[in-house]
Amino acid sequence: MDSLTHIAVGACIGELVAGKQLGKKAMILGALAQSIPDIDFVTSWFMPVAADLLAHRGFTHSILFGVLTTLLLATLSGKMFKSTLTFKKWCFFWGIQIFMHLFLDIFNVYGTGLLEPFSHYRVSLNTFFVLDPLFSIWPVIGLIILTILKSNNKIRTKVSVTLLSVSAFYMMCAVGNKLYINHKTEQSFQTQHIKASRYFSTPTALNNLLWYIVAQTDSGYYIGYRSVLDHKDTIQYRFVANNHALIDFYKSSETARLKRFSQGYYIGGVLHDTVVFSDLRFGEMTAGLQPNPRFSFYYYLSPAASNDVIIQRGRFSGWDKQIVNKFINRIKGN
């Protein structure tokens, strides 16, 4: 999830857990606690891009890190803050915040290293886009209201519970959408005789209705889109060759890291006379609404070219009024 969502959720949970004991400090500490796992952003200052991709949501997003940090902060908090909170209550305060951060992060495609350093396996439920306004708006509203209300106002708890509950309900709807899309996707494989070794589905930008589907075969990938609101059962796929030979030509720790990061969903290609590594999980530019769409995540392998802001640079490239209108219409279904 994005940083604003973590901050807002943290503030609302902080109010629920310790608002009566700490006042508005509980919101501030809650927002801080929700942000702690993202301290791995500092690795981008000195690590190569390919290594930094794996460092983010690595050890600082692991269960081990969460446990150790919770115990440390609970110990320090008992000495730094004068309150009626016991060590166990401080453990609960910091623990629920840090583990809620990890829980929210596993819902999108980036991958979260919950088992680091014992296993490099990354958990990705592919159920939310990294920013989903209909999930995030409610805790943000809660944060604003709680900031305005006085610390002794009796409705503060009700505000937190109500708005967090709305987000939780939306999350359950998103899981339902995911299960429905997967069901329709598997049906389409049977009717179109697509023999996929594995596949994933994930929401397109800023919504949970239009889903992007990638099915892997030995030679490439079938790519399609399905809206929850579609009336037709047919999913139109286009086939993309994997061109792995282009990537395999560059045998280096860099390409090894990229392959690991992509969880095996990648293709090779050429852009501006430069070999590029494309991670399919992050979708296509303009949600595939333009002819011959490129993938949002592309990494230059040779010759050396800029790979700055690699996750973001293609995500909203090419979006104009016409594309936005097409995107909204596609969400509405066919």
Side-chain angles (χ1 to χ4, degrees), residues 1-10 12 104 108 128-144 163-164 166-168 170-171 206:
M1 288 293 181
D2 63 291
S3 297
L4 178 58
T5 300
H6 284 304
I7 289 170
V9 170
C12 291
L104 292 176
N108 59 51
F128 278 103
F129 189 68
V130 65
L131 170 60
D132 190 319
L134 288 180
F135 176 85
S136 302
I137 187 63
W138 309 110
V140 170
I141 291 173
L143 171 61
I144 294 170
L163 294 174
L164 287 176
V166 175
S167 286
Y170 181 78
M171 179 177 282
L206 306 175

Coordinates of all heavy atoms in Angstrom, one line a residue, residues 1-10 12 104 108 128-144 163-164 166-168 170-171 206:
M1 N 0.8 -1.2 0.0 CA 0.0 0.0 0.0 C 0.9 1.3 0.0 O 2.0 1.2 0.4 CB -0.9 0.0 1.2 CG -2.0 -1.0 1.1 SD -3.2 -0.6 -0.1 CE -4.4 -1.9 0.1
D2 N 0.3 2.4 -0.4 CA 1.0 3.6 -0.4 C 1.2 4.2 1.0 O 0.6 3.8 2.0 CB 0.3 4.7 -1.2 CG -1.1 5.0 -0.6 OD1 -2.0 4.1 -0.6 OD2 -1.3 6.1 -0.1
S3 N 2.1 5.1 1.1 CA 2.5 5.6 2.5 C 1.4 6.4 3.2 O 1.2 6.2 4.4 CB 3.7 6.6 2.3 OG 4.8 5.9 1.8
L4 N 0.6 7.1 2.4 CA -0.5 7.8 3.0 C -1.5 6.9 3.7 O -2.0 7.1 4.8 CB -1.2 8.7 2.0 CG -2.5 9.5 2.5 CD1 -2.1 10.4 3.6 CD2 -3.1 10.3 1.3
T5 N -1.8 5.8 3.0 CA -2.7 4.8 3.5 C -2.2 4.2 4.8 O -2.9 4.1 5.8 CB -3.0 3.7 2.5 OG1 -3.6 4.2 1.3 CG2 -4.0 2.6 3.1
H6 N -0.9 3.9 4.9 CA -0.3 3.3 6.1 C -0.4 4.3 7.2 O -0.7 4.0 8.4 CB 1.1 2.9 5.8 CG 1.3 1.7 5.1 ND1 0.8 0.5 5.5 CD2 2.0 1.4 3.9 CE1 1.1 -0.5 4.6 NE2 1.8 0.1 3.7
I7 N -0.1 5.6 6.9 CA -0.2 6.6 8.0 C -1.6 6.8 8.5 O -1.8 6.8 9.7 CB 0.3 8.0 7.4 CG1 1.9 7.9 7.2 CG2 0.0 9.1 8.3 CD1 2.4 9.0 6.4
A8 N -2.6 6.8 7.6 CA -3.9 7.0 8.1 C -4.5 5.8 8.9 O -5.1 6.0 9.9 CB -4.8 7.3 6.8
V9 N -4.2 4.6 8.4 CA -4.6 3.4 9.1 C -3.9 3.4 10.4 O -4.6 3.0 11.5 CB -4.3 2.1 8.3 CG1 -4.5 0.9 9.1 CG2 -5.2 2.1 7.0
G10 N -2.6 3.7 10.5 CA -1.9 3.7 11.7 C -2.5 4.6 12.7 O -2.6 4.3 13.9
C12 N -5.6 5.8 12.9 CA -6.9 5.3 13.4 C -6.8 4.1 14.4 O -7.4 4.1 15.4 CB -7.8 4.9 12.2 SG -8.3 6.3 11.2
L104 N -1.2 -5.5 4.9 CA -1.7 -4.7 3.8 C -0.8 -4.8 2.6 O -1.3 -4.8 1.4 CB -1.8 -3.2 4.2 CG -2.9 -2.9 5.3 CD1 -2.8 -1.4 5.6 CD2 -4.3 -3.2 4.7
N108 N -0.8 -6.5 -2.9 CA -0.5 -6.1 -4.2 C 0.7 -6.9 -4.8 O 1.2 -7.8 -4.2 CB -0.2 -4.6 -4.3 CG 0.9 -4.1 -3.5 OD1 2.0 -4.6 -3.5 ND2 0.6 -3.0 -2.7
F128 N -5.0 -5.9 -4.7 CA -5.2 -4.4 -4.7 C -4.1 -3.8 -5.6 O -3.0 -4.3 -5.7 CB -5.0 -3.8 -3.3 CG -6.2 -3.9 -2.5 CD1 -6.3 -4.8 -1.5 CD2 -7.3 -3.0 -2.7 CE1 -7.4 -4.9 -0.6 CE2 -8.4 -3.1 -1.8 CZ -8.5 -4.0 -0.8
F129 N -4.5 -2.7 -6.3 CA -3.5 -1.9 -6.9 C -2.8 -1.2 -5.8 O -3.4 -1.1 -4.7 CB -4.2 -0.8 -7.8 CG -3.2 0.0 -8.7 CD1 -2.5 -0.6 -9.7 CD2 -3.1 1.3 -8.4 CE1 -1.6 0.2 -10.4 CE2 -2.2 2.1 -9.2 CZ -1.5 1.5 -10.2
V130 N -1.6 -0.7 -6.0 CA -0.8 -0.2 -4.9 C -1.5 1.0 -4.2 O -1.3 1.3 -3.0 CB 0.6 0.3 -5.4 CG1 0.5 1.4 -6.4 CG2 1.5 0.6 -4.2
L131 N -2.3 1.7 -5.0 CA -3.2 2.8 -4.4 C -4.6 2.5 -4.9 O -4.9 2.6 -6.1 CB -2.7 4.2 -4.8 CG -3.6 5.3 -4.5 CD1 -3.9 5.4 -3.0 CD2 -3.1 6.7 -5.0
D132 N -5.5 2.2 -3.9 CA -6.9 2.1 -4.2 C -7.7 3.1 -3.5 O -7.8 3.0 -2.3 CB -7.3 0.7 -3.9 CG -8.7 0.3 -4.4 OD1 -9.6 1.2 -4.3 OD2 -9.0 -0.8 -4.9
P133 N -8.1 4.2 -4.2 CA -8.8 5.3 -3.5 C -10.0 4.8 -2.6 O -10.2 5.4 -1.5 CB -9.2 6.2 -4.6 CG -8.3 5.9 -5.7 CD -8.0 4.4 -5.6
L134 N -10.8 3.9 -3.1 CA -11.9 3.5 -2.3 C -11.6 2.7 -1.1 O -12.5 2.6 -0.2 CB -12.9 2.6 -3.2 CG -13.6 3.4 -4.3 CD1 -14.5 2.5 -5.1 CD2 -14.4 4.6 -3.7
F135 N -10.4 2.2 -1.0 CA -9.9 1.6 0.3 C -9.3 2.7 1.2 O -9.6 2.7 2.4 CB -8.9 0.5 0.1 CG -8.3 -0.1 1.3 CD1 -9.0 -1.1 2.0 CD2 -7.1 0.4 1.9 CE1 -8.5 -1.6 3.2 CE2 -6.6 -0.1 3.0 CZ -7.3 -1.1 3.7
S136 N -8.5 3.5 0.6 CA -7.7 4.5 1.4 C -8.5 5.7 1.9 O -8.2 6.3 2.9 CB -6.6 5.0 0.6 OG -5.8 3.9 0.1
I137 N -9.6 6.1 1.2 CA -10.3 7.3 1.5 C -10.9 7.3 2.9 O -10.9 8.3 3.6 CB -11.4 7.6 0.5 CG1 -12.0 9.0 0.7 CG2 -12.5 6.6 0.5 CD1 -11.0 10.2 0.6
W138 N -11.3 6.2 3.4 CA -12.0 6.1 4.7 C -11.0 6.3 5.9 O -11.3 7.1 6.8 CB -12.7 4.8 4.8 CG -13.6 4.5 3.6 CD1 -13.4 3.6 2.6 CD2 -14.7 5.3 3.2 NE1 -14.4 3.8 1.7 CE2 -15.2 4.8 2.0 CE3 -15.4 6.4 3.8 CZ2 -16.3 5.3 1.4 CZ3 -16.5 6.9 3.1 CH2 -17.0 6.4 1.9
P139 N -9.9 5.6 6.0 CA -9.0 6.0 7.1 C -8.4 7.4 7.0 O -8.1 8.0 8.0 CB -7.9 4.9 7.0 CG -8.0 4.3 5.6 CD -9.4 4.4 5.2
V140 N -8.3 7.9 5.7 CA -7.8 9.3 5.6 C -8.8 10.3 6.2 O -8.5 11.2 6.9 CB -7.5 9.6 4.1 CG1 -7.3 11.1 3.9 CG2 -6.3 8.8 3.6
I141 N -10.1 10.0 5.9 CA -11.2 10.8 6.5 C -11.1 10.7 8.0 O -11.3 11.7 8.8 CB -12.6 10.4 6.0 CG1 -12.7 10.8 4.5 CG2 -13.7 11.0 6.8 CD1 -14.0 10.2 3.8
G142 N -10.9 9.5 8.5 CA -10.8 9.3 9.9 C -9.7 10.1 10.5 O -9.8 10.7 11.6
L143 N -8.5 10.1 9.9 CA -7.4 10.8 10.3 C -7.7 12.3 10.4 O -7.4 13.0 11.4 CB -6.2 10.6 9.4 CG -5.0 11.5 9.6 CD1 -4.3 11.3 10.9 CD2 -3.9 11.2 8.5
I144 N -8.4 12.8 9.4 CA -8.7 14.3 9.5 C -9.7 14.6 10.6 O -9.5 15.5 11.3 CB -9.4 14.7 8.1 CG1 -8.3 14.5 7.0 CG2 -9.9 16.1 8.2 CD1 -8.9 14.7 5.6
L163 N -14.9 3.9 10.3 CA -14.2 4.1 9.0 C -13.3 3.0 8.7 O -13.1 2.6 7.5 CB -13.5 5.5 9.1 CG -14.5 6.7 9.1 CD1 -13.7 8.0 9.3 CD2 -15.3 6.7 7.9
L164 N -12.6 2.4 9.7 CA -11.8 1.2 9.5 C -12.7 0.0 9.0 O -12.2 -0.8 8.2 CB -11.0 0.9 10.7 CG -9.8 1.8 11.1 CD1 -9.2 1.3 12.4 CD2 -8.8 1.8 10.0
V166 N -15.4 0.2 7.3 CA -15.8 0.4 5.8 C -14.6 -0.1 5.0 O -14.9 -0.8 4.0 CB -16.1 1.9 5.6 CG1 -16.3 2.1 4.1 CG2 -17.3 2.4 6.4
S167 N -13.4 0.3 5.3 CA -12.2 -0.2 4.5 C -12.1 -1.7 4.6 O -11.8 -2.4 3.6 CB -10.9 0.4 5.1 OG -10.8 1.8 4.7
A168 N -12.4 -2.3 5.8 CA -12.3 -3.8 5.9 C -13.4 -4.4 5.0 O -13.2 -5.5 4.4 CB -12.5 -4.2 7.3
Y170 N -14.7 -3.2 2.3 CA -14.2 -3.0 0.9 C -13.1 -4.1 0.6 O -13.1 -4.6 -0.6 CB -13.6 -1.6 0.7 CG -13.2 -1.4 -0.7 CD1 -14.1 -1.1 -1.8 CD2 -11.8 -1.4 -1.1 CE1 -13.6 -0.9 -3.1 CE2 -11.4 -1.2 -2.4 CZ -12.3 -1.0 -3.4 OH -11.8 -0.8 -4.6
M171 N -12.3 -4.4 1.5 CA -11.3 -5.4 1.3 C -11.9 -6.7 1.1 O -11.5 -7.5 0.2 CB -10.3 -5.5 2.5 CG -9.3 -6.5 2.4 SD -8.1 -6.5 3.8 CE -7.1 -5.1 3.3
L206 N -5.9 2.1 -9.9 CA -6.8 2.9 -9.0 C -8.3 2.3 -8.9 O -9.2 3.0 -8.6 CB -6.9 4.3 -9.6 CG -5.6 5.0 -9.7 CD1 -5.8 6.4 -10.4 CD2 -4.9 5.2 -8.4

